[in-house]
């Protein structure tokens, strides 16, 4: 009897069959938004972008987000009547920062603002003229 107990203790157990409610092909893969929402994490994504073919400077973005993203924005001081208003303020702020960063980089590369492009002329006796 003791031998049987030991033998059964080391016997491989077969996993119990799991009844599937949906066929494997019918299962839908979860989206990034669904996964983030289940984890209670903020999520925002660009669904589409449109550009006016007549005016390439005009266009629109379609954004999607979860409630956790709006809550995070509100904690950081964004306000609005609707969630869309709050997300729009955030997106405008992001765009503004991109423009400012691009402008600052252009200014840094402009010779009239960059000290590396100033002329230095040796006047002799250890003196120099910088213009």
């Amino acid at each position: 009897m003791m031998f049987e107990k030991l033998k059964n203790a080391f016997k491989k157990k077969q996993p119990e069959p799991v009844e599937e409610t949906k066929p494997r092909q019918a299962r839908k893969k979860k989206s990034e938004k669904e996964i983030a929402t289940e984890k209670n994490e903020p999520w925002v994504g660009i669904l589409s972008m449109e550009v006016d073919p007549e005016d390439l400077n005009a266009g629109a973005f379609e954004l999607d987000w979860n409630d956790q993203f709006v809550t995070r924005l509100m904690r950081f001081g964004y306000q609005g009547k609707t969630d869309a208003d709050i997300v729009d303020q955030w997106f405008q702020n992001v765009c503004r920062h991109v423009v400012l960063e691009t402008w600052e980089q252009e200014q840094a590369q402009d010779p009239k603002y960059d000290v590396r492009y100033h002329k230095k002329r040796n006047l002799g006796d250890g003196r120099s003229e910088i213009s």
Side-chain angles (χ1 to χ4, degrees):
M1 184 141 151
M2 184 68 154
F3 181 73
E4 285 298 313
K5 285 184 181 178
L6 285 172
K7 192 166 110 177
N8 289 335
F10 292 99
K11 194 179 201 181
K12 286 186 179 179
K13 293 184 180 179
Q14 296 294 327
E16 294 183 28
V18 177
E19 186 177 321
E20 293 186 16
T21 56
K22 294 181 182 179
R24 205 171 273 272
Q25 299 91 351
R27 285 190 221 153
K28 181 183 167 193
K29 186 176 177 184
K30 291 182 181 179
S31 69
E32 290 180 18
K33 178 182 178 180
E34 290 170 327
I35 293 168
T37 301
E38 285 177 1
K39 293 179 178 180
N40 200 30
E41 295 175 349
W43 179 88
V44 63
I46 298 173
L47 297 181
S48 67
M49 183 183 94
E50 296 177 15
V51 177
D52 183 351
E54 301 298 318
D55 181 5
L56 296 179
N57 295 317
F61 289 91
E62 181 182 4
L63 302 176
D64 189 21
W65 57 85
N66 64 7
D67 292 338
Q68 291 84 345
F69 182 70
V70 175
T71 301
R72 168 97 31 111
L73 292 178
M74 290 169 55
R75 268 193 249 137
F76 279 90
Y78 289 92
Q79 298 176 358
K81 292 181 182 178
T82 65
D83 290 355
D85 291 341
I86 294 168
V87 174
D88 188 53
Q89 285 178 30
W90 166 80
F91 190 67
Q92 286 181 32
N93 201 26
V94 169
C95 292
R96 191 175 297 113
H97 282 270
V98 169
V99 169
L100 286 172
E101 185 176 306
T102 303
W103 182 82
E104 288 171 352
Q105 288 175 354
E106 289 174 357
Q107 295 301 306
Q109 294 171 354
D110 190 332
K112 65 183 172 193
Y113 296 108
D114 194 339
V115 295
R116 294 177 295 176
Y117 293 99
H118 290 150
K119 295 179 184 176
K120 183 176 179 181
R121 189 175 76 151
N122 187 356
L123 299 175
D125 290 332
R127 299 179 312 151
S128 300
E129 176 183 77
I130 300 174
S131 60

